[in-house]
Amino acid sequence: MKVIDLTMISMLLRKKLVRAGIVELVDLAVLHKQPQRCFELSHETGVPLKRIHWMVSVALFHEIKGVGLNHSALLVKIGIDSIEKLAKSNPEELLIAMAESNIASPVIQLLPSLLAVELWVKDAKVLAESEPKNLMA
């Protein structure tokens, strides 16, 4: 997916990212291993580092089947901002937290099923075992 198509962030921000060389969603996701590059990107674009970290966290979940961008945003909103944290999550507790957060401030129209969340956690465990530790977690 192209960064320019991410409607969850402003067009101005999308253009700044593209000018800085962040063209694909995967370009954002790999930054979770590059905290210095996140800092540099923040400096280059004028985007607060916290917002860069949020976008990187949302982008990370694109590797997990069934986790859309809005699901990713909700996961980050409840504190699951890395593959490692998702892998360590209890699916039932995660779904409850997602539901409670989404009621308070809606991000998605339809919550995933418990089976879907269980699969997310399972896939995250596989990814977490195959990747070095997230430096931002």
PDB file of all heavy atoms in Angstrom, residues 31 33-44 49 53 135-136:
ATOM      1  N   LEU A  31      10.858   1.272  10.004  1.00  0.00           N
ATOM      2  CA  LEU A  31      11.435   2.272  10.907  1.00  0.00           C
ATOM      3  C   LEU A  31      11.355   1.861  12.375  1.00  0.00           C
ATOM      4  O   LEU A  31      12.020   2.455  13.210  1.00  0.00           O
ATOM      5  CB  LEU A  31      10.753   3.629  10.703  1.00  0.00           C
ATOM      6  CG  LEU A  31      10.992   4.291   9.354  1.00  0.00           C
ATOM      7  CD1 LEU A  31      10.240   5.618   9.271  1.00  0.00           C
ATOM      8  CD2 LEU A  31      12.465   4.499   9.095  1.00  0.00           C
ATOM      9  N   LYS A  33      12.716  -0.474  13.645  1.00  0.00           N
ATOM     10  CA  LYS A  33      14.069  -0.933  13.993  1.00  0.00           C
ATOM     11  C   LYS A  33      15.101   0.181  13.868  1.00  0.00           C
ATOM     12  O   LYS A  33      16.281  -0.047  14.057  1.00  0.00           O
ATOM     13  CB  LYS A  33      14.482  -2.081  13.071  1.00  0.00           C
ATOM     14  CG  LYS A  33      13.615  -3.294  13.157  1.00  0.00           C
ATOM     15  CD  LYS A  33      14.113  -4.321  12.163  1.00  0.00           C
ATOM     16  CE  LYS A  33      13.063  -5.336  11.858  1.00  0.00           C
ATOM     17  NZ  LYS A  33      13.443  -6.199  10.746  1.00  0.00           N
ATOM     18  N   GLN A  34      14.635   1.400  13.514  1.00  0.00           N
ATOM     19  CA  GLN A  34      15.551   2.497  13.238  1.00  0.00           C
ATOM     20  C   GLN A  34      15.146   3.769  13.987  1.00  0.00           C
ATOM     21  O   GLN A  34      14.693   4.741  13.388  1.00  0.00           O
ATOM     22  CB  GLN A  34      15.566   2.772  11.727  1.00  0.00           C
ATOM     23  CG  GLN A  34      15.947   1.580  10.901  1.00  0.00           C
ATOM     24  CD  GLN A  34      15.757   1.828   9.412  1.00  0.00           C
ATOM     25  OE1 GLN A  34      15.453   2.919   8.978  1.00  0.00           O
ATOM     26  NE2 GLN A  34      15.929   0.787   8.629  1.00  0.00           N
ATOM     27  N   PRO A  35      15.297   3.781  15.311  1.00  0.00           N
ATOM     28  CA  PRO A  35      14.862   4.954  16.073  1.00  0.00           C
ATOM     29  C   PRO A  35      15.560   6.246  15.644  1.00  0.00           C
ATOM     30  O   PRO A  35      14.949   7.312  15.649  1.00  0.00           O
ATOM     31  CB  PRO A  35      15.176   4.597  17.521  1.00  0.00           C
ATOM     32  CG  PRO A  35      16.051   3.401  17.469  1.00  0.00           C
ATOM     33  CD  PRO A  35      15.863   2.735  16.157  1.00  0.00           C
ATOM     34  N   GLN A  36      16.820   6.147  15.218  1.00  0.00           N
ATOM     35  CA  GLN A  36      17.531   7.351  14.769  1.00  0.00           C
ATOM     36  C   GLN A  36      16.894   7.905  13.504  1.00  0.00           C
ATOM     37  O   GLN A  36      16.733   9.110  13.353  1.00  0.00           O
ATOM     38  CB  GLN A  36      19.022   7.049  14.536  1.00  0.00           C
ATOM     39  CG  GLN A  36      19.823   8.262  14.084  1.00  0.00           C
ATOM     40  CD  GLN A  36      19.836   9.404  15.093  1.00  0.00           C
ATOM     41  OE1 GLN A  36      19.821   9.196  16.298  1.00  0.00           O
ATOM     42  NE2 GLN A  36      19.845  10.637  14.597  1.00  0.00           N
ATOM     43  N   ARG A  37      16.503   7.011  12.600  1.00  0.00           N
ATOM     44  CA  ARG A  37      15.851   7.448  11.358  1.00  0.00           C
ATOM     45  C   ARG A  37      14.491   8.081  11.670  1.00  0.00           C
ATOM     46  O   ARG A  37      14.094   9.039  11.005  1.00  0.00           O
ATOM     47  CB  ARG A  37      15.700   6.271  10.381  1.00  0.00           C
ATOM     48  CG  ARG A  37      14.991   6.639   9.086  1.00  0.00           C
ATOM     49  CD  ARG A  37      15.801   7.620   8.243  1.00  0.00           C
ATOM     50  NE  ARG A  37      15.060   7.974   7.038  1.00  0.00           N
ATOM     51  CZ  ARG A  37      14.699   9.223   6.697  1.00  0.00           C
ATOM     52  NH1 ARG A  37      15.062  10.242   7.438  1.00  0.00           N
ATOM     53  NH2 ARG A  37      14.005   9.447   5.618  1.00  0.00           N
ATOM     54  N   CYS A  38      13.785   7.579  12.684  1.00  0.00           N
ATOM     55  CA  CYS A  38      12.510   8.199  13.098  1.00  0.00           C
ATOM     56  C   CYS A  38      12.756   9.633  13.545  1.00  0.00           C
ATOM     57  O   CYS A  38      12.014  10.548  13.177  1.00  0.00           O
ATOM     58  CB  CYS A  38      11.860   7.399  14.227  1.00  0.00           C
ATOM     59  SG  CYS A  38      11.182   5.830  13.715  1.00  0.00           S
ATOM     60  N   PHE A  39      13.806   9.819  14.325  1.00  0.00           N
ATOM     61  CA  PHE A  39      14.163  11.157  14.789  1.00  0.00           C
ATOM     62  C   PHE A  39      14.489  12.057  13.599  1.00  0.00           C
ATOM     63  O   PHE A  39      14.030  13.196  13.519  1.00  0.00           O
ATOM     64  CB  PHE A  39      15.346  11.073  15.758  1.00  0.00           C
ATOM     65  CG  PHE A  39      15.811  12.409  16.251  1.00  0.00           C
ATOM     66  CD1 PHE A  39      15.123  13.068  17.260  1.00  0.00           C
ATOM     67  CD2 PHE A  39      16.921  13.017  15.687  1.00  0.00           C
ATOM     68  CE1 PHE A  39      15.545  14.318  17.710  1.00  0.00           C
ATOM     69  CE2 PHE A  39      17.349  14.259  16.130  1.00  0.00           C
ATOM     70  CZ  PHE A  39      16.657  14.912  17.145  1.00  0.00           C
ATOM     71  N   GLU A  40      15.288  11.549  12.667  1.00  0.00           N
ATOM     72  CA  GLU A  40      15.657  12.322  11.481  1.00  0.00           C
ATOM     73  C   GLU A  40      14.435  12.661  10.634  1.00  0.00           C
ATOM     74  O   GLU A  40      14.308  13.775  10.134  1.00  0.00           O
ATOM     75  CB  GLU A  40      16.675  11.538  10.638  1.00  0.00           C
ATOM     76  CG  GLU A  40      18.024  11.382  11.306  1.00  0.00           C
ATOM     77  CD  GLU A  40      18.903  10.321  10.652  1.00  0.00           C
ATOM     78  OE1 GLU A  40      18.456   9.680   9.667  1.00  0.00           O
ATOM     79  OE2 GLU A  40      20.036  10.131  11.140  1.00  0.00           O
ATOM     80  N   LEU A  41      13.538  11.706  10.482  1.00  0.00           N
ATOM     81  CA  LEU A  41      12.318  11.924   9.706  1.00  0.00           C
ATOM     82  C   LEU A  41      11.455  13.003  10.357  1.00  0.00           C
ATOM     83  O   LEU A  41      10.898  13.864   9.676  1.00  0.00           O
ATOM     84  CB  LEU A  41      11.537  10.620   9.572  1.00  0.00           C
ATOM     85  CG  LEU A  41      10.289  10.654   8.710  1.00  0.00           C
ATOM     86  CD1 LEU A  41      10.622  11.016   7.275  1.00  0.00           C
ATOM     87  CD2 LEU A  41       9.586   9.298   8.765  1.00  0.00           C
ATOM     88  N   SER A  42      11.392  12.975  11.661  1.00  0.00           N
ATOM     89  CA  SER A  42      10.651  14.001  12.384  1.00  0.00           C
ATOM     90  C   SER A  42      11.259  15.373  12.117  1.00  0.00           C
ATOM     91  O   SER A  42      10.543  16.341  11.838  1.00  0.00           O
ATOM     92  CB  SER A  42      10.669  13.698  13.889  1.00  0.00           C
ATOM     93  OG  SER A  42      10.067  14.731  14.618  1.00  0.00           O
ATOM     94  N   HIS A  43      12.570  15.443  12.167  1.00  0.00           N
ATOM     95  CA  HIS A  43      13.278  16.707  11.923  1.00  0.00           C
ATOM     96  C   HIS A  43      13.085  17.179  10.472  1.00  0.00           C
ATOM     97  O   HIS A  43      12.813  18.355  10.230  1.00  0.00           O
ATOM     98  CB  HIS A  43      14.761  16.539  12.245  1.00  0.00           C
ATOM     99  CG  HIS A  43      15.555  17.791  12.092  1.00  0.00           C
ATOM    100  ND1 HIS A  43      15.460  18.844  12.969  1.00  0.00           N
ATOM    101  CD2 HIS A  43      16.451  18.155  11.142  1.00  0.00           C
ATOM    102  CE1 HIS A  43      16.260  19.819  12.558  1.00  0.00           C
ATOM    103  NE2 HIS A  43      16.880  19.424  11.459  1.00  0.00           N
ATOM    104  N   GLU A  44      13.214  16.248   9.518  1.00  0.00           N
ATOM    105  CA  GLU A  44      13.074  16.591   8.093  1.00  0.00           C
ATOM    106  C   GLU A  44      11.675  17.103   7.746  1.00  0.00           C
ATOM    107  O   GLU A  44      11.529  18.013   6.928  1.00  0.00           O
ATOM    108  CB  GLU A  44      13.322  15.351   7.217  1.00  0.00           C
ATOM    109  CG  GLU A  44      14.733  14.887   7.116  1.00  0.00           C
ATOM    110  CD  GLU A  44      14.808  13.541   6.385  1.00  0.00           C
ATOM    111  OE1 GLU A  44      13.999  13.298   5.470  1.00  0.00           O
ATOM    112  OE2 GLU A  44      15.685  12.745   6.748  1.00  0.00           O
ATOM    113  N   LEU A  49       7.799  13.653  16.726  1.00  0.00           N
ATOM    114  CA  LEU A  49       8.308  12.292  16.848  1.00  0.00           C
ATOM    115  C   LEU A  49       7.223  11.336  17.343  1.00  0.00           C
ATOM    116  O   LEU A  49       7.126  10.200  16.868  1.00  0.00           O
ATOM    117  CB  LEU A  49       9.526  12.262  17.782  1.00  0.00           C
ATOM    118  CG  LEU A  49      10.272  10.944  17.879  1.00  0.00           C
ATOM    119  CD1 LEU A  49      10.768  10.481  16.511  1.00  0.00           C
ATOM    120  CD2 LEU A  49      11.438  11.076  18.851  1.00  0.00           C
ATOM    121  N   HIS A  53       6.112   7.869  15.523  1.00  0.00           N
ATOM    122  CA  HIS A  53       6.029   6.571  16.203  1.00  0.00           C
ATOM    123  C   HIS A  53       4.648   5.953  16.043  1.00  0.00           C
ATOM    124  O   HIS A  53       4.522   4.740  15.848  1.00  0.00           O
ATOM    125  CB  HIS A  53       6.384   6.713  17.685  1.00  0.00           C
ATOM    126  CG  HIS A  53       7.840   6.898  17.917  1.00  0.00           C
ATOM    127  ND1 HIS A  53       8.345   7.286  19.130  1.00  0.00           N
ATOM    128  CD2 HIS A  53       8.919   6.766  17.106  1.00  0.00           C
ATOM    129  CE1 HIS A  53       9.664   7.373  19.058  1.00  0.00           C
ATOM    130  NE2 HIS A  53      10.023   7.066  17.833  1.00  0.00           N
ATOM    131  N   LEU A 135      12.841  -1.903  18.890  1.00  0.00           N
ATOM    132  CA  LEU A 135      13.559  -0.935  19.705  1.00  0.00           C
ATOM    133  C   LEU A 135      12.645   0.142  20.278  1.00  0.00           C
ATOM    134  O   LEU A 135      13.029   0.853  21.192  1.00  0.00           O
ATOM    135  CB  LEU A 135      14.662  -0.283  18.859  1.00  0.00           C
ATOM    136  CG  LEU A 135      15.724  -1.241  18.331  1.00  0.00           C
ATOM    137  CD1 LEU A 135      16.701  -0.495  17.431  1.00  0.00           C
ATOM    138  CD2 LEU A 135      16.451  -1.923  19.460  1.00  0.00           C
ATOM    139  N   MET A 136      11.429   0.274  19.731  1.00  0.00           N
ATOM    140  CA  MET A 136      10.500   1.276  20.230  1.00  0.00           C
ATOM    141  C   MET A 136       9.531   0.706  21.253  1.00  0.00           C
ATOM    142  O   MET A 136       8.758   1.428  21.839  1.00  0.00           O
ATOM    143  CB  MET A 136       9.702   1.900  19.067  1.00  0.00           C
ATOM    144  CG  MET A 136      10.557   2.781  18.211  1.00  0.00           C
ATOM    145  SD  MET A 136       9.728   3.443  16.743  1.00  0.00           S
ATOM    146  CE  MET A 136       8.024   3.433  17.146  1.00  0.00           C
TER     147      MET A 136
END
